[in-house]
């Protein structure tokens, strides 16, 4: 069985400050992990993926995530938030199929 | 842009009716998956088709069915619509390599409303 828990349903940060979106996972096997972003009325876009090659994964638009097996976590970070980062973010675990978390809505305060 | 398109964008149906949603995958992708995203939730896996055969299914009843065609297009059919079927339906295509690291490319979705 596999699952993901996104620890915050809503995160608000000021423009220019760091972003932290938290994700814990559960998997019986070594998982692949992804972060997807969904802007309003748009499809899901892949931000980054972990495939066991490196624990620190760099993605698009300045985002990165660190895989910590001991903590079963895969938190998403960005050093400086931009207004265009406002969206819904999904942490995803993949063994035989993609299993999505419930999402974190990121709001950027001007 | 992912190269995955879906039609229609929006659809309104009444309970008991049947609906067909369509997806056009990226050229060369041999696998398509369908997801249901209820309001305020993450997408839920419905099923996957690989080379025109069903290759995995989530916890959805048989009234959810699909087809995949050789021209990279696919369909999701839902019979006997229920109010709870109201959701955003997403398709995603990939070139399956047999590993868990395959990236799925999502279409923009079809918003289905059941009245």
């Amino acid at each position: 069985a596999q699952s993901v828990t996104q620890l915050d349903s809503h995160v608000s940060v000021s423009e220019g400050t760091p972003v932290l979106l938290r994700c814990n996972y559960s998997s019986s096997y070594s998982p692949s992990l992804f972060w997807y972003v969904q802007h309003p009325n748009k499809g899901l876009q892949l931000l980054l993926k972990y495939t066991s090659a490196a624990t620190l994964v760099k993605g698009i638009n300045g985002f990165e995530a660190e895989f910590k097996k001991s903590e079963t976590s895969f938190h998403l970070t960005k050093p400086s938030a931009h207004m265009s980062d406002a969206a819904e973010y999904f942490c995803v675990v993949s063994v035989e199929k993609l299993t999505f978390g419930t999402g974190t809505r990121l709001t950027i305060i001007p | 842009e992912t190269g995955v398109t879906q039609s229609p964008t929006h659809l309104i149906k009444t309970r008991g009716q049947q609906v067909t949603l369509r997806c056009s995958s990226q050229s060369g992708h041999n696998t398509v998956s369908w997801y249901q995203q209820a309001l305020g939730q993450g997408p839920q896996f419905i099923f996957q088709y690989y080379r025109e055969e069903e290759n995995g299914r989530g916890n959805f009843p048989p009234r959810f069915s699909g087809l995949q065609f050789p021209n990279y297009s696919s369909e999701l059919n839902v019979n006997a619509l229920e109010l709870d079927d109201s959701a955003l339906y997403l398709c995603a295509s990939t070139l399956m390599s047999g590993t868990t690291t395959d990236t799925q490319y999502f279409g923009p979705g079809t918003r289905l409303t059941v009245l």
Side-chain angles (χ1 to χ4, degrees), chain A residues 30-32 34 36 38 41-46 49-52 88 90 94-103, chain B residues 2 10 35 37 40-45 48 57-59 88 90 99-109 111:
Chain A
S30 296
S32 293
F34 305 78
Y36 278 86
Q38 187 175 38
N41 301 315
K42 296 259 181 96
L44 289 156
Q45 181 184 20
L46 179 69
K49 67 178 180 181
Y50 166 74
T51 60
S52 77
E88 190 86 17
F90 293 96
S94 174
V95 178
E96 293 181 336
K97 61 178 184 179
L98 295 189
T99 298
F100 284 75
T102 52
Chain B
T2 64
H10 295 90
Y35 296 82
Q37 185 177 15
Q41 301 294 319
Q44 299 288 318
F45 174 72
Q48 181 182 82
R57 190 177 186 93
N59 294 325
L88 181 68
L90 298 162
T99 71
T100 62
T101 63
D102 298 333
T103 296
Q104 296 197 16
Y105 296 89
F106 284 82
R111 173 77 60 188

Side-chain angles (χ1 to χ4, degrees), chain B residues 25-95:
Chain B
S25 301
Q26 271 197 27
S27 178
H29 282 184
N30 56 15
T31 304
V32 65
S33 302
W34 285 89
Y35 296 82
Q36 180 194 67
Q37 185 177 15
L39 201 60
Q41 301 294 319
Q44 299 288 318
F45 174 72
I46 303 175
F47 46 55
Q48 181 182 82
Y49 278 77
Y50 171 69
R51 294 184 175 176
E52 303 166 47
E53 297 285 334
E54 188 175 296
N55 186 43
R57 190 177 186 93
N59 294 325
F60 282 82
R63 60 189 185 84
F64 286 78
S65 63
L67 287 171
Q68 184 186 24
F69 304 101
N71 65 350
Y72 309 116
S73 67
S74 61
E75 291 180 354
L76 165 64
N77 298 290
V78 187
N79 294 322
L81 283 167
E82 301 176 0
L83 296 179
D84 285 348
D85 295 334
S86 295
L88 181 68
Y89 288 85
L90 298 162
C91 76
S93 73
T94 189
L95 180 62

